[in-house]
Amino acid sequence: MAIWNRTKECMSADERAELQGRRLHKIVDYVYHNTPFYREKMQERGIEPGDIKSIEDIVKLPFTTKKDIRDNYPFGLQAAPKSEIVRVHASSGTTGRPTIVGYTRKDIGVWSEIVARAMTAFGVTREDSFSVAYGYGMFTGGLGAHYGVENLGATVLPASTGNTEKHARLIKDLAITGIACTPSYALHLAESMEKMGYTKDDLHLRIGAFGAEPWTDNMRREIETRLGLKAYNIYGLSEIMGPGVSYECECQRGSHINEDHFYPEIVNPETLEPLGRDVVGELVFTTITKEGMPLLRYRTRDLCSLMDGVCPCGRTSVRMGRILGRSDDMLIIRGINVFPSQIESVILSLPEFEPQYVLVAERNGNLDTLQVQVEVRPEFFTDDVKTIELFQKRLADKIRSVISINATVRVMFPGSIERSQGKGNHVIDNRILK
Ligand code: DLL
């Protein structure tokens, strides 16, 4: 398959390290002189831009957290002057102050370049028509994917979220060949299309660019079967850029990081000690070319590992494994770490359940309880209590054997769990309120 930017995506390890070192030095010098926050942090550590000579020197630099960005709301971490900022995005779905990220014209150019790299890796060409069904607006998904698809030269249908029936109809009538949205929305769309009586043969979909939330290989297979396409992972976060920080290629052995723009590290989330790249830990990024709001060693809270080495696709950039969860939304039930994605995998390993579920954590006295509410598939739906109890027991037993956790299972009617247009929310933690 084609490669969008062979020079950058297939660099030798030495060439890349040299480029990263040069860019790191430049960005550190830039933030030192333009962001008082970083100047102070570096002065506290007794370091100056001149101390950062190669990429290995990155460990001398301070970390940055989401709290740092919030504490400097709205524009405290912005390095470029206001006159250079052409776009501002604001993070979605968080409590308190939103995270504001400003982009210069050059930043927008880099962003549309990295998304074009991703789309090319998914096999998108100028002949494709792509529906972008991430939310447009302050969320980075819609506009981020949009600019990349346009840059590549394919046609964009800026569908955004909502209005699912009209969207489904246009996918069919306009012979749309690609779709970019969250995996939860892809399933919702599949369901709506099934209700509208469409079959895979009415559609021309062949490529899906899914991300913005954790998903599993079981979910990938489910979406692929129901929509009749090949599903690829695209990862990103608004603080660093938006979608396109990393992307899968046809080999689907991890997602290639655009390392010439974002330098990744894996650290222990408790001690912040750098870990081996192949160990699961917290992913940290330094933006080495960004002008609007460059970040040094930003703690993503995402847990994953990295894979070095040349991929059979020819790209040499480091790959990240699937996000196993976040170090901050991981549920701890009676001392056991539980990631929603683990439960999802178990649910999908049984034929009677839809991948529509909510995990409800409660505290009874001092004891944590976990309830898994999950929809039964319409074809398995019955009002026979014995059968429903059997379904509940089967799932509870499997969760116990795979994740070593006792959960109660509540089987829900088909269609009764609220569908998400954007990122799915699978966790209700009522313990936090107490
Ligand atoms: O979700 C940017 C994006 C839009 C990525 C569209 C991909 C596609 P935020 O709203 O800032 O930005 O959320 C970032 O979402 O730290 C991860 O926890 C999670 N996330 C994003 N992509 C993936 C993915 C966008 N492919 C946070 N797999 C990140 C798993 C993902 N988690």
Side-chain angles (χ1 to χ4, degrees):
M1 262 204 259
I3 293 181
W4 179 256
N5 187 338
R6 194 168 283 279
T7 320
K8 290 293 185 310
E9 292 174 88
C10 307
M11 289 181 129
S12 74
D14 289 349
E15 250 182 316
R16 181 174 286 119
E18 193 276 322
L19 178 74
Q20 288 169 330
R22 225 174 339 112
R23 289 185 165 174
L24 180 68
H25 170 75
K26 205 168 148 196
I27 209 78
V28 168
D29 190 63
Y30 175 66
V31 294
Y32 190 85
H33 291 103
N34 292 282
T35 319
F37 169 83
Y38 280 124
R39 186 166 48 246
E40 279 161 29
K41 280 215 165 194
M42 285 173 63
Q43 281 169 347
E44 273 166 28
R45 293 186 158 220
I47 42 172
E48 292 188 349
D51 298 326
I52 307 301
K53 298 188 190 75
S54 73
I55 195 66
E56 281 82 38
D57 291 327
I58 199 159
V59 293
K60 298 178 183 163
L61 294 168
F63 285 96
T64 313
T65 61
K66 200 172 183 88
K67 184 171 180 300
D68 293 327
I69 303 178
R70 291 230 179 91
D71 290 349
N72 289 281
Y73 175 86
F75 293 121
L77 291 195
Q78 193 172 282
K82 168 87 186 65
S83 56
E84 296 301 312
I85 300 294
V86 297
R87 187 170 333 147
V88 171
H89 280 280
S91 73
S92 59
T94 43
T95 48
R97 294 169 173 177
T99 307
I100 306 294
V101 185
Y103 300 77
T104 66
R105 194 173 297 284
K106 186 178 151 223
D107 293 337
I108 299 289
V110 168
W111 195 1
S112 58
E113 152 82 16
I114 58 169
V115 175
R117 289 184 192 175
M119 293 293 164
T120 306
F122 302 161
V124 181
T125 72
R126 295 167 67 92
E127 302 305 319
D128 281 293
S129 294
F130 226 84
S131 170
V132 174
Y134 287 116
Y136 278 64
M138 290 191 271
F139 178 51
T140 53
L143 283 170
H146 182 115
Y147 271 55
V149 175
E150 267 190 10
N151 183 20
L152 186 147
T155 310
V156 185
L157 174 70
S160 195
T161 51
N163 222 339
T164 306
E165 283 201 7
K166 180 176 171 195
H167 183 204
R169 184 171 179 165
L170 289 177
I171 288 178
K172 177 168 85 66
D173 293 350
L174 308 188
I176 296 289
T177 51
I179 180 159
C181 61
T182 58
S184 339
Y185 186 69
L187 282 174
H188 175 55
L189 186 67
E191 229 172 29
S192 303
M193 287 176 156
E194 284 154 17
K195 276 195 197 131
M196 290 164 79
Y198 296 174
T199 67
K200 272 189 296 192
D201 301 336
D202 297 323
L203 309 175
H204 293 79
L205 285 175
R206 60 183 202 92
I207 295 170
F210 303 120
E213 62 183 5
W215 56 308
T216 54
D217 274 334
N218 282 334
M219 197 143 166
R220 187 204 297 270
R221 278 190 290 276
E222 174 90 20
I223 297 171
E224 288 185 336
T225 316
R226 283 168 86 163
L227 287 177
L229 48 69
K230 192 155 167 56
Y232 290 91
N233 185 48
I234 181 161
Y235 165 88
L237 60 164
S238 45
E239 294 87 341
I240 297 302
M241 189 58 101
V245 171
S246 74
Y247 54 94
E248 276 180 338
C249 61
E250 73 261 29
C251 305
Q252 299 195 315
R253 296 187 198 166
S255 296
H256 289 275
I257 296 176
N258 281 300
E259 280 193 89
D260 51 328
H261 297 291
F262 319 110
Y263 184 77
E265 293 172 88
I266 296 285
V267 302
N268 177 321
E270 264 127 50
T271 62
L272 298 183
E273 227 176 286
L275 297 175
R277 299 194 359 148
D278 53 349
V279 177
V280 173
E282 182 174 336
L283 182 61
V284 168
F285 280 114
T286 299
T287 64
I288 52 177
T289 55
K290 215 170 163 200
E291 293 180 338
M293 194 179 82
L295 293 179
L296 303 183
R297 307 189 86 194
Y298 181 68
R299 294 186 56 190
T300 64
R301 296 287 182 175
D302 289 326
L303 300 173
C304 70
S305 58
L306 298 177
M307 281 167 268
D308 278 312
V310 180
C311 177
C313 75
R315 290 174 185 82
T316 51
S317 43
V318 68
R319 283 159 287 157
M320 52 188 264
R322 272 199 189 279
I323 303 293
L324 298 169
R326 291 175 55 82
S327 60
D328 56 359
D329 85 353
M330 180 176 74
L331 275 167
I332 303 180
I333 305 287
R334 277 168 264 150
I336 300 171
N337 297 348
V338 183
F339 294 113
S341 58
Q342 291 176 295
I343 304 257
E344 184 184 282
S345 270
V346 178
I347 288 173
L348 280 166
S349 67
L350 297 174
E352 55 266 33
F353 298 111
E354 289 279 358
Q356 300 291 352
Y357 66 95
V358 178
L359 309 181
V360 185
E362 303 272 7
R363 182 155 295 160
N364 257 339
N366 283 324
L367 198 65
D368 292 335
T369 62
L370 181 68
Q371 185 183 61
V372 179
Q373 302 180 349
V374 56
E375 271 183 31
V376 63
R377 286 186 195 272
E379 61 271 30
F380 284 91
F381 180 65
T382 164
D383 47 19
D384 177 47
V385 178
K386 285 241 147 49
T387 314
I388 294 288
E389 281 175 351
L390 191 75
F391 289 167
Q392 294 182 162
K393 184 172 181 316
R394 249 164 54 100
L395 181 55
D397 287 349
K398 189 126 193 216
I399 291 174
R400 190 174 316 110
S401 71
V402 178
I403 317 173
S404 309
I405 180 127
N406 284 316
T408 54
V409 173
R410 185 163 152 214
V411 171
M412 311 287 282
F413 290 127
S416 63
I417 292 179
E418 199 186 331
R419 300 299 190 257
S420 151
Q421 303 268 325
K423 295 173 191 251
N425 185 11
H426 295 296
V427 177
I428 299 175
D429 195 341
N430 290 327
R431 299 171 303 175
I432 295 166
L433 304 174
K434 291 180 186 163

